[in-house]
Amino acid sequence: MEVVNPVRQAVELVLFSLKPDTDEVAFLALNATVQTYINTLPGFVYRALCKQSDGIWQDIVFWQDRVAALHAQQLFMKSEACVTWLAMIDPASINMQHSEVMFAKLAERLAS
């Protein structure tokens, strides 16, 4: 199933590094709580947290639209778990981008 996205879902891409003293296991454990909170945010569609071989992390979040993405950004800071999770990240390393999905395709085996 191919879809040209008429509603313009938004993708939030955040690249970052953890602070040098951050325990990666603790970071990932807290991420589970963060994800539980994100699941409740209006317009949330999908999220993947990835780690590159060079140690840079990618947090990729699909939102219903740009308005939902920007609203979620404000709500994120109201969660104690999210603020604690963010404290493990080197603030100087954060690069956040929002873009509109122009085309998306789900693997046929997943579409049904």
Side-chain angles (χ1 to χ4, degrees):
M1 169 171 62
E2 288 187 17
V3 177
V4 175
N5 188 4
V7 296
R8 299 285 188 243
Q9 281 184 337
V11 174
E12 180 177 274
L13 172 62
V14 185
L15 303 176
F16 62 88
S17 299
L18 297 180
K19 289 180 179 174
D21 60 341
T22 299
D23 177 358
E24 191 173 292
V25 173
F27 177 75
L28 289 170
L30 186 54
N31 181 68
T33 303
V34 167
Q35 184 59 54
T36 298
Y37 178 69
I38 291 172
N39 290 345
T40 70
L41 298 178
F44 170 71
V45 176
Y46 172 82
R47 178 175 179 243
L49 181 63
C50 312
K51 183 180 176 189
Q52 299 174 179
S53 60
D54 62 0
I56 303 294
W57 291 76
Q58 301 174 350
D59 198 358
I60 307 163
V61 188
F62 282 74
W63 296 99
Q64 180 180 346
D65 53 34
R66 182 179 290 271
V67 172
L70 296 175
H71 183 63
Q73 194 174 351
Q74 294 172 353
L75 295 174
F76 193 84
M77 298 307 293
K78 295 182 179 185
S79 162
E80 183 178 331
C82 294
V83 171
T84 302
W85 186 79
L86 284 173
M88 298 176 168
I89 295 172
D90 175 3
S93 72
I94 297 173
N95 178 348
M96 177 183 280
Q97 305 168 21
H98 289 98
S99 54
E100 291 183 337
V101 176
M102 303 306 288
F103 173 84
K105 179 165 178 53
L106 185 62
E108 295 297 329
R109 65 186 178 282
L110 300 176
S112 52

